[in-house]
Amino acid sequence: MKSLHLLGLCTLSLPSFARAWSPNQAVLGESYDAGLFTPFEDLNALSETQFTTLKHPMFPKHGVRIKKSNFCDETVNAYTGYIDVEARSLFFYFFESRNDPAKDDVMLWANGGPGCSSSLGLFLELGPCRIVDNNNTKFHPEAWNTRANVVFIDQPVGVGFSYADHGETVSTTEDGAKDIAAFVHLFFEHFKQFQGRPFHLSGESYAGRYLPAYAAAIYDQNTRLAEYGLTPVNLTSVMIGNGYVDFYRVYESYYDMPLERPEWAQRWGTPRTMNR
Ligand SMILES: *[C@@H]1O[C@H](CO)[C@@H](O)[C@H](O)[C@H]1NC(C)=O
Ligand SMILES: *[C@@H]1O[C@H](CO)[C@@H](O)[C@H](O)[C@H]1NC(C)=O
C-alpha cells in the first residue's frame, strides 16, 4: 500500500499549472548545416566511467551527456545521463529492450506531480528492477523493457537527479516540453539504430498534463525537421494512466466516483468532507 500512497501524493497538483498549450514557440535553432553534424551512432561505444557529450547544430543550446551503466538490469544495455539545456540538466535512465532492442519500439516514461521523479515508476511500477534494501535491487520480470526500449526521465528541472547550475527553473509545461522535444530529437539523430522506430510517450497522474504538451512540441518540431530534410520522430502513441488532464473535472469526479463504485468508497473512504 505504501506505493499507492506515494502515487496518491504524486496526484496532488496546482491548478495554475493547467495552462493552455501555445504552439508558437521556436524549438529549434535558427540555422542548420548538415556538414557540422556527425552522429554518435553506436551506443555500445559509450564509456562506463565518463560522460560522452552529444550535440546537434540545430540545437545549439542543447546537449546530451550519456554513459553506459549496469544499473538495475544486467541482462540489457543500460545508460544514464543528462540532457543539458544551457545551465539546466535533466537526468534520464535508458534501458534497452530485453526482447530485440534492434527492432522494438522506443518509449519515454514520465511520472507526474508536478515534482515526482520517474524513479518512482522505475522502482515501484514498470521498471526493470525493484529495491530490496539500501544496497540491492532485484530483477523485475514484468518490466516494460521486456518488449520496448524505455527512457525514464526526471523532469522538469529540480525533480529527482535533475538540477540547474544557478537555481534556474522551468515554470511552464510548455517550456519543459521544448526540452523534451529537443532531447527526443537528439536521441534519434545520434543513435541511428533507433531512428524511425515507433516512439511512445507514457506516464501517469500529472503526466496527463505533461504528455499532450510534449506530444504537441514533438509534432511541431517534426514539421521543422522535415523542412531541414531531417528524419521526423515517429511519434506513434501517447499512453496516459490515471491522467490528471483536467483539474476541475478530476476534482468533481471525486464525488461521483465512490457513489458509483461502492467498493472504492469502502477502500478509500466516502466523500463526506466534500461540499457540493
Ligand atoms: C549497505 O552497504 C553499507 C556499506 O557497505 C553498509 O554499511 C550497510 O550496512 C549496507 N546496508 C544494508 C541494508 O545491507
Ligand atoms: C512509424 O512506425 C510505424 C509503426 O507503428 C511504421 O509503420 C511506419 O513506417 C513508421 N514511420 C516512419 C516514417 O518510419
Side-chain angles (χ1 to χ4, degrees):
M1 282 306 103
K2 194 149 198 182
S3 66
L4 287 168
H5 282 296
L6 273 170
L7 296 179
L9 273 179
C10 281
T11 311
L12 290 175
S13 162
L14 302 169
S16 60
F17 273 81
R19 287 184 22 177
W21 161 249
S22 61
N24 59 343
Q25 285 140 353
V27 174
L28 307 178
E30 288 309 311
S31 64
Y32 173 65
D33 176 354
L36 291 173
F37 179 66
T38 315
F40 191 77
E41 299 280 3
D42 187 7
L43 276 169
N44 271 316
L46 290 170
S47 161
E48 275 192 40
T49 51
Q50 289 177 21
F51 285 113
T52 301
T53 300
L54 310 176
K55 301 282 289 180
H56 193 281
M58 238 172 135
F59 297 88
K61 294 176 182 168
H62 294 80
V64 177
R65 274 178 293 151
I66 183 168
K67 65 182 168 72
K68 263 175 121 162
S69 160
N70 57 8
F71 173 74
C72 198
D73 188 344
E74 288 175 1
T75 70
V76 300
N77 291 319
Y79 308 88
T80 58
Y82 296 89
I83 313 159
D84 298 315
V85 188
E86 297 181 314
R88 304 194 299 277
S89 297
L90 297 178
F91 180 78
F92 67 91
Y93 308 89
F94 174 53
F95 299 96
E96 287 190 358
S97 171
R98 288 171 182 165
N99 176 49
D100 188 352
K103 293 220 175 82
D104 290 343
D105 294 8
V106 179
M107 61 190 302
L108 181 142
W109 170 265
N111 275 93
C116 289
S117 164
S118 288
S119 57
L120 185 81
L122 200 167
F123 294 119
L124 298 174
E125 299 171 336
L126 59 142
C129 70
R130 292 278 188 256
I131 295 172
V132 177
D133 59 35
N134 282 355
N135 301 332
N136 298 292
T137 60
K138 72 167 194 262
F139 189 80
H140 180 221
E142 285 147 11
W144 287 9
N145 76 320
T146 303
R147 291 204 171 263
N149 299 289
V150 188
V151 179
F152 294 82
I153 187 162
D154 276 348
Q155 54 79 53
V157 73
V159 171
F161 292 127
S162 297
Y163 65 92
D165 288 343
H166 313 291
E168 299 89 336
T169 55
V170 170
S171 51
T172 68
T173 293
E174 289 69 32
D175 285 342
K178 286 191 271 185
D179 295 346
I180 300 295
F183 166 73
V184 170
H185 170 65
L186 284 170
F187 180 89
F188 285 109
E189 197 62 31
H190 277 282
F191 304 118
K192 297 274 185 207
Q193 74 234 58
F194 297 107
Q195 206 165 44
R197 215 75 75 77
F199 177 66
H200 311 271
L201 289 169
S202 64
E204 67 188 353
S205 189
Y206 197 77
R209 166 72 184 117
Y210 292 142
L211 298 182
Y214 296 175
I218 291 169
Y219 186 87
D220 290 346
Q221 176 178 270
N222 274 348
T223 310
R224 295 279 306 276
L225 295 177
E227 282 166 12
Y228 285 106
L230 294 169
T231 310
V233 174
N234 194 356
L235 179 61
T236 305
S237 76
V238 178
M239 298 161 41
I240 298 173
N242 162 32
Y244 201 75
V245 178
D246 181 329
F247 180 84
Y248 298 100
R249 267 170 225 200
V250 165
Y251 271 83
E252 276 202 52
S253 70
Y254 280 179
Y255 184 86
D256 298 323
M257 186 75 184
L259 298 181
E260 283 163 26
R261 303 280 300 274
E263 71 276 17
W264 273 68
Q266 221 167 16
R267 192 161 165 189
W268 302 107
T270 59
R272 63 185 178 278
T273 56
M274 292 186 75
N275 300 314
R276 193 167 191 242

